[in-house]
Amino acid sequence: MRPSSSYTNALKRRQLSGDYAFLGSRRLGDFEEDHLIPLELGGSPTAEANLWPQPYSRVGARMKDRVENRLHALVCAGAVPLA
């Protein structure tokens, strides 16, 4: 189950107030708080170590979503082991 936006927005705000920045940006709207290990592949929904501010750049959040969807399909098809 995906955590609430109030949880992820607060975490993103805290992470971006530290040393984290992408191309110098710390604007909340430039990032999606995303799971490093996708939930559908067993990633923890609320572990701070599994959540990070992912930039909306052309090689960021949107590209990773496509990779996650493909990996999910491969795991479900038995072509790639979950481990």
Side-chain angles (χ1 to χ4, degrees):
M1 178 173 223
R2 187 168 298 282
S4 69
S5 60
S6 62
Y7 175 81
T8 57
N9 285 340
L11 178 59
K12 177 169 61 170
R13 191 172 289 109
R14 192 168 72 244
Q15 290 168 328
L16 289 173
S17 71
D19 292 334
Y20 189 93
F22 181 76
L23 297 177
S25 177
R26 287 194 170 94
R27 288 177 8 111
L28 294 178
D30 289 345
F31 298 88
E32 169 187 345
E33 190 71 10
D34 199 14
H35 293 90
L36 179 62
I37 301 171
L39 300 180
E40 66 265 27
L41 296 177
S44 172
T46 56
E48 290 188 21
N50 195 41
L51 285 158
W52 62 295
Q54 185 177 22
Y56 279 121
S57 69
R58 65 179 174 82
V59 295
R62 291 176 181 89
M63 178 63 75
K64 183 174 176 278
D65 289 345
R66 285 188 255 164
V67 172
E68 288 174 356
N69 292 337
R70 179 70 178 137
L71 185 56
H72 179 239
L74 290 169
V75 168
C76 288
V80 172
L82 187 55

